[in-house]
């Protein structure tokens, strides 16, 4: 994963190791899968906790069926949580969006999470191709309604991130 995304406006903020269990769980969909993860915050943030966080989570390898692999990745990530009794529900989407300036679609949605602490929501966009399946998510201001979130703008950001994280195919 690169040290910065979105043309350098977001820099890596979390150096956690990727969860290799994700690649293992997708072994029926991705041959020789390797998990990848990075979290990014605005380069101009005022403190370690200010501004939105973008998380890029995925698996690269030989993807046997991109659509099926993407669907499986989202199911796995929707079930992963450190909070007991959390329920995740897709409340908007998924919508297939071809961002302006791109010829490749991304699938975007908003997921609501409810647990004993309250309700939160998070947008994500994902894509899959012959060599990777990836989800990009972003933290948001929970006081604003999910319906007001601009999924088209987030899809455009995701398309830029896709260009920046995509590795060239081996000859």
């Amino acid at each position: 994963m690169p040290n910065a995304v979105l043309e350098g406006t977001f820099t890596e903020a979390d150096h956690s190791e990727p969860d290799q269990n994700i690649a293992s769980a997708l072994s029926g969909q991705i041959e020789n899968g390797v998990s990848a993860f990075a979290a990014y915050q605005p380069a101009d943030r005022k403190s370690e906790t200010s501004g939105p966080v973008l998380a890029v989570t995925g698996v690269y390898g030989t993807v046997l069926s991109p659509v099926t692999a993407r669907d499986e990745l989202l199911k796995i990530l929707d079930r992963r949580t450190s909070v007991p009794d959390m329920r995740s529900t897709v409340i908007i989407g998924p919508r297939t969006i071809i961002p302006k300036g791109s010829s490749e679609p991304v699938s975007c949605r908003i997921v609501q999470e409810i647990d004993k602490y309250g309700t939160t929501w998070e947008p994500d966009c994902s894509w899959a191709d012959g060599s990777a399946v990836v989800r990009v998510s972003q933290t948001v201001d929970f006081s604003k309604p999910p319906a007001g979130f601009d999924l088209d703008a987030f899809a455009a950001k995701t398309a830029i991130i896709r260009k920046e994280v995509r590795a060239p195919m081996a000859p």
Side-chain angles (χ1 to χ4, degrees):
M1 296 297 249
N3 292 329
V5 294
L6 293 176
E7 300 166 345
T9 60
F10 277 70
T11 56
E12 190 173 15
D14 184 346
H15 305 286
S16 299
E17 288 295 315
D19 182 349
Q20 294 304 325
N21 292 325
I22 297 172
S24 294
L26 288 171
S27 63
Q29 299 297 324
I30 303 174
E31 293 177 349
N32 304 311
V34 177
S35 294
F37 171 80
Y40 301 91
Q41 284 184 288
D44 63 354
R45 67 186 178 269
K46 306 292 185 244
S47 72
E48 288 297 312
T49 58
S50 67
V53 175
L54 288 169
V56 181
T57 307
V59 177
Y60 62 92
T62 302
V63 180
L64 304 176
S65 172
V67 172
T68 303
R70 185 190 67 227
D71 291 347
E72 285 299 312
L73 174 69
L74 294 175
K75 285 179 191 172
I76 290 165
L77 295 176
D78 286 348
R79 287 191 304 256
R80 284 179 56 211
T81 180
S82 58
V83 179
D85 302 321
M86 179 181 278
R87 292 187 326 271
S88 294
T89 306
V90 176
I91 58 171
I92 297 175
R95 280 183 41 215
T96 299
I97 301 170
I98 300 176
K100 189 173 185 166
S102 176
S103 61
E104 296 177 83
V106 293
S107 179
C108 299
R109 64 198 188 141
I110 294 180
V111 178
Q112 181 180 60
E113 296 174 342
I114 301 171
D115 62 27
K116 64 182 179 182
Y117 303 109
T119 302
T120 59
W121 59 275
E122 176 180 81
D124 69 41
C125 289
S126 57
W127 77 87
D129 56 32
S131 63
V133 56
V134 181
R135 179 187 77 158
V136 177
S137 60
Q138 176 181 310
T139 59
V140 293
D141 178 353
F142 302 132
S143 68
K144 295 183 179 176
F149 187 81
D150 188 344
L151 274 178
D152 291 304
F154 190 59
K157 284 182 183 179
T158 300
I160 294 168
I161 291 169
R162 175 172 47 200
K163 283 185 207 172
E164 294 172 337
V165 303
R166 186 174 266 167
M169 294 292 285

